[in-house]
């Protein structure tokens, strides 16, 4: 798949976005086609703006992880 999409000028990162944000359309043969519609793009943009806001709020904070579990989160003191 990677070679076919790249041969068509579609990078894997674009395919990932189509699958992540697109609308699934199950096909009669059991496959699922994803279509990125205008409304999907608008919803994705809204989600990304919200994520960027959360990223801004995360600045100046730290998290401590042990064995894949968060054990502490706090404001950084420089």
């Amino acid at each position: 798949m990677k070679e076919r999409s790249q041969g068509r000028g579609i990078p894997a990162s674009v395919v990932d976005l189509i699958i992540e944000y697109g609308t699934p359309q199950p096909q009669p043969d059991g496959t699922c086609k994803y279509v990125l519609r205008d409304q999907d793009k608008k919803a994705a943009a809204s989600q990304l703006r919200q994520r960027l806001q959360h990223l801004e709020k995360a600045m100046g904070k730290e998290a401590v992880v042990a064995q894949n579990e968060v054990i502490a989160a706090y404001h950084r003191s420089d």
Side-chain angles (χ1 to χ4, degrees):
M1 189 292 300
K2 185 178 179 180
E3 291 172 7
R4 289 181 72 188
S5 63
Q6 286 180 343
R8 294 180 175 140
I10 304 171
S13 59
V14 170
V15 174
D16 291 343
L17 289 171
I18 293 168
I19 293 169
E20 183 174 355
Y21 295 108
T23 298
Q25 296 180 343
Q27 302 298 296
D29 65 358
T31 61
C32 189
K33 173 172 69 171
Y34 287 81
V35 178
L36 191 60
R37 304 168 303 163
D38 192 53
Q39 62 200 47
D40 298 324
K41 184 181 98 173
K42 289 176 183 175
S46 176
Q47 289 174 15
L48 292 169
R49 279 191 296 276
Q50 185 178 36
R51 192 151 170 89
L52 185 57
Q53 288 174 347
H54 288 141
L55 183 61
E56 288 294 332
K57 289 179 182 179
M59 295 299 298
K61 304 191 180 47
E62 297 181 2
V64 179
V65 177
Q67 298 176 342
N68 293 326
E69 186 175 328
V70 177
I71 59 173
Y74 49 87
H75 297 278
R76 182 173 56 228
S77 60
D78 290 330

